[in-house]
Amino acid sequence: MSIIVKTKHIIFFVVFCVLMYVAFKTYNFQKYSNKIDVRDEIPTVTLNTLFNKQLNVKYLKSFYYDNQCIGYNAILNNKYYLSVIKIGQADRKIDFLKLDKPYSEENLISLPPIDVEEQIGRFMNFENYPYKINTVNYYIKGKELGFINMKFSEIIYNAKYINLSFNDIQKTYFIYSTPQEKMSLSFINYKNELYIINTKPYKNNLFMDLHTLIK
């Protein structure tokens, strides 16, 4: 076989592999993204339910995945913007590990902006959703300012984004992305379901952590 023929075979094989990879990625994206829906409905598990308190909350639109409500946005006290996602199952206390560098970011799907008040971008890998979580590994592109571990765990930080991975799998499963500012990420275990809540100031208000806001 001549060098030219060999080269053509190699080029054909490489092109074939690239096309198969793109086709797989497209199929994988559509497989999960087609299950994502946005609805103008009050969530079934509200902030009042999560904290067992009567809070002053304006609920915005909600995320649905495979016809199940998995998250929503809300404004608390007309001063703080909260983004809530049900991330998975947790049947015991969660351990936390801060990473020096992020894990690989593969097969992440951008959750669509769901209202005009949208304050943050969310990227999620749905391959093994809902996740069974024992350990939360997190990487902050910025600075961690504090970690409160009282009624629930809350990471306070000033960053452009925070990456989350779970257990011993070295892959990013969730990203919160936003213009760099002070905010927090809280982890709430409600009936063995783990919810994460991003809290940030609404409009020109000063930051307050979620523990303080729900006292």
Side-chain angles (χ1 to χ4, degrees):
M1 184 181 294
S2 69
I3 295 177
I4 294 177
V5 173
K6 281 186 177 180
T7 302
K8 286 183 177 179
H9 284 181
I10 293 172
I11 293 173
F12 175 80
F13 178 74
V14 171
V15 171
F16 174 78
C17 289
V18 170
L19 290 175
M20 289 298 293
Y21 176 78
V22 171
F24 171 76
K25 287 290 186 179
T26 302
Y27 167 79
N28 202 44
F29 175 83
Q30 292 179 341
K31 176 182 176 182
Y32 298 108
S33 64
N34 287 342
K35 296 181 180 181
I36 298 172
D37 188 18
V38 176
R39 302 181 189 178
D40 190 13
E41 297 179 3
I42 300 295
T44 51
V45 180
T46 64
L47 291 168
N48 290 345
T49 303
L50 287 175
F51 297 112
N52 194 27
K53 286 181 177 254
Q54 288 299 314
L55 301 170
N56 179 19
V57 181
K58 175 185 175 182
Y59 291 99
L60 306 176
K61 294 182 180 179
S62 298
F63 282 118
Y64 281 74
Y65 179 74
D66 205 15
N67 289 319
Q68 299 293 319
C69 182
I70 65 166
Y72 51 91
N73 293 342
I75 299 174
L76 179 63
N77 299 332
N78 203 33
K79 293 183 177 181
Y80 298 93
Y81 188 92
L82 275 59
S83 174
V84 182
I85 292 288
K86 182 171 71 172
I87 203 69
Q89 302 169 347
D91 57 5
R92 67 173 182 83
K93 183 180 178 181
I94 301 296
D95 297 320
F96 290 85
L97 176 65
K98 186 177 181 181
L99 302 175
D100 294 328
K101 59 182 180 179
Y103 290 139
S104 63
E105 301 171 4
E106 299 177 6
N107 301 327
L108 292 170
I109 295 175
S110 174
L111 297 179
I114 59 177
D115 53 67
V116 295
E117 303 285 0
E118 192 70 49
Q119 297 282 305
I120 196 164
R122 288 148 294 215
F123 301 85
M124 194 166 174
N125 184 318
F126 284 94
E127 288 179 332
N128 298 309
Y129 183 83
Y131 315 116
K132 293 184 179 180
I133 302 167
N134 298 317
T135 302
V136 172
N137 310 297
Y138 64 97
Y139 170 78
I140 297 174
K141 182 63 175 180
K143 185 176 182 180
E144 182 174 341
L145 303 176
F147 191 105
I148 303 173
N149 194 11
M150 297 173 66
K151 294 180 180 178
F152 50 88
S153 298
E154 182 174 10
I155 304 168
I156 302 170
Y157 61 98
N158 189 320
K160 293 181 179 179
Y161 63 83
I162 182 169
N163 290 23
L164 302 180
S165 58
F166 307 120
N167 306 331
D168 58 352
I169 301 175
Q170 297 186 5
K171 179 189 293 186
T172 296
Y173 277 105
F174 195 90
I175 297 177
Y176 268 120
S177 177
T178 182
Q180 185 159 342
E181 61 181 299
K182 189 175 182 180
M183 66 191 77
S184 74
L185 197 64
S186 301
F187 298 80
I188 317 296
N189 191 330
Y190 176 75
K191 295 185 176 180
N192 293 333
E193 299 280 1
L194 188 65
Y195 291 78
I196 54 178
I197 303 177
N198 177 273
T199 303
K200 59 182 298 190
Y202 178 58
K203 296 183 177 178
N204 295 318
N205 293 286
L206 296 176
F207 170 80
M208 292 182 69
D209 62 79
L210 190 56
H211 277 84
T212 301
L213 291 174
I214 64 167
K215 278 185 178 179

